[in-house]
Amino acid sequence: MVSGNQTTTPGFILSGFSNLTNRQGLLFMIFLTIYVMILLGNGVIVFVTVLDSALHTPMYFFLRNLSFVEICYTSVTLPKMLANCLAEDGSISFTSCAAQMYFFLLVGGTECFLLVAMAYDHCVAICNPLHYTLTMTRKVCVRMVAGSWLVNIPVHFGQTYLVFSLPFCGSHEINHFFCEIPPLLELSCVDTYRNKIVVFIVSLPFIITPFLYIVISYIKIARTILKMPSVQGRRKALSTCSSHLTVVALFYGSGMVVYLRPKSRDSMDTDKLLSLFYTIVIPMFNPFIYSLRNEEMKAALRKLVSRK
C-alpha cells in the first residue's frame, strides 16, 4: 500500500446507505429479515433434498449445491451490512476488505458454473433422455460441482491481489455496501486501465462463456420441445426449465450490467443498487422459485411436515 509519497491506509469506509441516516434501524430490521429468510429458505432446500431419497437425482444435487452457494454468497456481505447499520461508521480493515472481495468473487464465480451444470443436466434430460442415467452419473455430478469451486480459487485470488496491490490515496470511502472491484478501482490514485482490462478478460470465461453455453443449451432444449408430439410432455419439459431460466435471467442480467458496462463515478449508485439485487434479492427468491413451481419439492416438503 506504499507508492512513492503515498502512506499506508489502515482500511476503508463502506458508505453503504449512509445517506439514509435516520433509517439505519429500519434498514437493519429489513436486512436482518431478508438474511433470515435466505438462511431458512435455502437451508430447507438443502435439508429436504438430503433427507428425501426421491430427490437424490442430479437435478436436486445441483439445486442443493446452488442453495448452499446462495447461503455463502449472502453471508459474505450481509453480516457486515448489518453491523454497519448498528455501528453507523462503515469501517472495514484492509485485510477484511480483501477477504470479503475474494470470497465474494469465488462464490459468485462458482454460482456461474453451477448454473451451467444445471443447464447441461436439463439439456441431457430433455434432448437425450435414453442416455441420461449413463451421462449424469454421481461421479460426473460431483466432478462438475468440485470443478465449479476449484477453477475459481486461483483466478479470483489473482484478481484480488491485483486490486489490493494498487495504491489508494485521498478518500478511502467506498461508495458501496461491500468491497467490490468497480468502486475500489475508483479510489486508486493511479491509472487502473490495465485492471479494468483484466476484469473484462476474466469475465469472458467466467461470465460470458457460461452464459453463452446456457443460451446454446436452451436453444437445443427449445428445438427438442417443439418436436414433442405430446402437449403434456412439452408442459413437463417447460416446467423443468422455467425455474432455472428465471434464476439465470435475474443473476446474469444484473451481474453483466455491473461488470461489463463502462464505468463512471456517476454510475456507482446504479451499480450499488444492482449489486443489492443479485447479492440479496435473488438468493431470497431462489427458494420460492424452485419450491413453489416444483411439484416434487412441494411433495417432499409436505411429506417432511407430515412426519414431524
Side-chain angles (χ1 to χ4, degrees), residues 55-63 118 121 132 136-138 141:
L55 302 182
H56 290 178
T57 63
M59 174 182 171
Y60 294 104
F61 175 75
F62 291 129
L63 178 57
M118 295 175 79
D121 175 63
Y132 182 76
M136 300 304 296
T137 62
R138 175 75 177 179
C141 294

Side-chain angles (χ1 to χ4, degrees), residues 12 14 76-77 92-94 96-102 104-105 164 174 176-184 259:
F12 301 97
L14 293 168
V76 171
T77 56
I92 185 169
S93 68
F94 180 81
S96 297
C97 191
Q100 188 182 59
M101 175 184 286
Y102 172 69
F104 175 79
L105 293 173
F164 283 88
I174 303 172
H176 216 298
F177 55 87
F178 70 97
C179 294
E180 197 171 20
I181 293 177
L184 271 165
Y259 280 91

Side-chain angles (χ1 to χ4, degrees), residues 194-207:
R194 290 183 179 180
N195 295 78
K196 292 174 182 177
I197 292 297
V198 170
V199 171
F200 179 77
I201 292 173
V202 171
S203 70
L204 293 178
F206 286 86
I207 299 178

